Amino acid sequence: MVSAVVQQRIKALRSEIEAHNYQYYVLDAPTVPDAGYDTLFRELQRLEAQHPEFLTSDSPTQRVGAAPLKYFAEVPHRTPMLSLNNAFSADEVIAFDARVRDALGIDEVEYAVELKFDGLAINLSYRNGIFVQGATRGDGSTGEDVTENLRTVRSIPLRLKEANGEVLCADVEVRGEVLMFTRDFDLLNEQQRLNGEKEFVNPRNAAAGSLRQLDSAVTATRHLSFYAYGVGLCDGVNLSGKHDLQMAQLADWGVPVATQRSTVQGVAGLLDYYKEMGALRAALPFAIDGVVYKVNDIAQQQMLGFVSRAPRFAIAHKFPAEEAMTTLLDIDVQVGRTGALTPVARLTPVFVGGVTVTNATLHNEDEIRRKDVRIGDTVIVRRAGDVIPEVARVVLERRPSDARVFSMPQACPVCGSHVVREEDAAAWRCTGGLFCPAQRKQALLHFAGRRAMNIDGLGDKLVEQLVDAQQVSTPADLYKLGMSGLVSLERMGEKSALNLLDAIEASRKTTLARFLFALGIRNVGETTARDLAQHFGALDAIMQADAERLQQVRDVGPVVAQSMVDFFAEAHNLAVIAQLREAGVHWDEHSPAPQEDRIYTGKTFVLTGTLASLSRQQAKERLEALGAKVSGSVSKKTDFVVAGSDSGSKLERAMELGVAVLSESEFLLLIEGE
């Protein structure tokens, strides 16, 4: 009686765990937290250890890997695993369709269309619905037995199930592709780097190497995935006479099948699908190198038959190569909108990813060192979809004796300002933020922002026009704009120009905190600018402070302090600040009260709901002027919650924790009484 109960519990646990595996590894939609899954798994392990008579090969606990092998045994395929012929142009696809139509004697063919995965083809054998053997394609007739490694691939079902949850009582060969998702590939290479080991070239290379490990415990750590694309032999169950419906049957049995598949009519449908998948390619979570077209009707497939080692009823339409080899002629440095310096490879022109590439990103100095890229090297260039081409790796055996090591410049190649690299940062940056032409548009947009100088109407398109027309070079030039210059711009009428001039005029009167934030100093956000203004009270005092003095301000650490020192050390930036002051930009300055003298220093407030008398931003500024910290969430460390109308979960949380709650009238008395 006890054994029967245990056996039923083991069966139920296996079924539940496999269902969770399918949700997580196939559908990418987990329905249970990791801790809950682990609890189920440990219970199953314990019961199987206590009752080994109930342990079976299809148990989820058997995915962990077996003892290392000395070699892979050969497996003859009961039906050959054939390769596909390739098409590289629309004309070749049109010719394929014409051959099929001529052979079948019909005017239009229905095709099943699907992705061509860039992975490793395998055959999965199920006996009475239980996974018993897995093999690589090998030479098409004979493959390698990689059963134990495939058991570790959690998206591969260890048993096939019918709709009612019962094991499918049939012998089936499932054909498909083992691959590695891009995210898993990136994590694997990151771990390889940390371990000082050789990185994998691409996801296909990583998947193939992982599947052919003699130690399946290693394979288990590699996070491989699987998608089916067909059926080999099948005994004991009736398969549909259409390929697309067979794929649906596999999905019903719990086998992963890609959702990006369809059926189309004629050659026009084939080419439309190719175009659609080409556009989608870069967004897919795994690599594909083309699409596959198959005559959908199985009886028609059999009529068409095979030629040599490929079927006449199917063809792979390949995408343009995403990698190509060329020579790196030189390395230039570009300056981005935020001042980041990016090294760019100048290449001997090469056709890759459907376009001719002459430039490719090298990302940053660390990547150049890691890949050991030198001027004069032969390199592999990669381009995926619309992604910017990059230098993937160096062909070291082709390195010339005069290859030159590259060094980052010490001054901005655009404006000549100093360049700096923050601790733990990858990029070098130009410090001439207000002056550098490369950063001009970004600097102007930030300067005019609502929480900076609040110049309403100065948006992206207008900034583009003003800079391109050479009417504005620095923020100081905004205060020189006149009506005639503005109305000459596209879509700028007199009323819009007048509104903009009014907004510019209004911005001349601001606060020190807003002005400091508007300068766009790296790492100096709105809150930090406000703390600096409160602490020093005057711009000149801030500009003259050294890093040690700056770090006396709340939440200003060495990185922020150094960013400010570097910014104010640049003569170009000082010149623009002087021009802004000369243009009449001004603010009230004062000798601030010592930090410790402000009544709410160290107190944390949370604002929730709508206040009738002032905006959320105004309330925040009033509190911060009194030394308080304004947080966005309620915790045990919160001192006060200010509750306006329509307060929600934050008010409820405050009441749960016993935090003091202030009404709007109480809040106004509090801040106006200080």
Side-chain angles (χ1 to χ4, degrees), residues 179-194:
L179 61 152
M180 185 174 286
F181 277 32
T182 305
R183 64 172 183 252
D184 295 322
F185 172 72
D186 292 339
L187 289 171
L188 174 60
N189 266 352
E190 182 179 345
Q191 191 59 51
Q192 292 290 103
R193 285 195 294 273
L194 291 174

Side-chain angles (χ1 to χ4, degrees), residues 652-673:
E652 294 174 2
R653 179 64 173 159
M655 296 176 70
E656 287 176 9
L657 296 175
V659 175
V661 177
L662 301 176
S663 66
E664 181 172 354
S665 58
E666 290 171 329
F667 170 63
L668 292 174
L669 285 173
L670 180 146
I671 60 175
E672 290 171 2

Side-chain angles (χ1 to χ4, degrees), residues 423 524 528 531-532 535-536 541-542 544-565 595:
E423 187 177 352
V524 176
T528 301
D531 288 342
L532 287 162
H535 186 93
F536 286 97
I542 297 172
Q544 294 164 11
D546 58 19
E548 183 178 354
R549 179 77 177 87
L550 290 167
Q551 287 181 69
Q552 295 176 10
V553 180
R554 179 178 60 177
D555 295 332
V556 173
V559 172
V560 175
Q562 192 58 51
S563 292
M564 297 184 64
V565 170
Q595 188 82 2

Side-chain angles (χ1 to χ4, degrees), residues 473-489:
S473 296
T474 74
D477 293 334
L478 293 171
Y479 297 93
K480 302 174 185 176
L481 290 173
M483 179 67 77
S484 59
L486 287 174
V487 295
S488 68
L489 299 175

Side-chain angles (χ1 to χ4, degrees), residues 448 454-463 466 492 496 499-500 503:
N454 194 25
I455 303 178
D456 188 34
L458 192 62
D460 289 31
K461 292 182 179 179
L462 184 53
V463 166
L466 288 169
M492 178 62 75
S496 297
N499 288 339
L500 177 61

Side-chain angles (χ1 to χ4, degrees), residues 80-97:
M81 293 187 69
L82 302 175
S83 300
L84 296 175
N85 287 326
N86 294 323
F88 293 95
S89 68
D91 289 343
E92 291 177 289
V93 175
I94 292 169
F96 161 74
D97 175 64

Side-chain angles (χ1 to χ4, degrees), residues 116-138:
K116 185 179 185 301
F117 301 105
D118 194 12
L120 191 70
I122 61 165
N123 184 72
L124 306 176
S125 295
Y126 290 85
R127 187 169 302 135
N128 291 321
I130 305 298
F131 175 57
V132 293
Q133 189 177 65
T136 63
R137 177 162 55 193

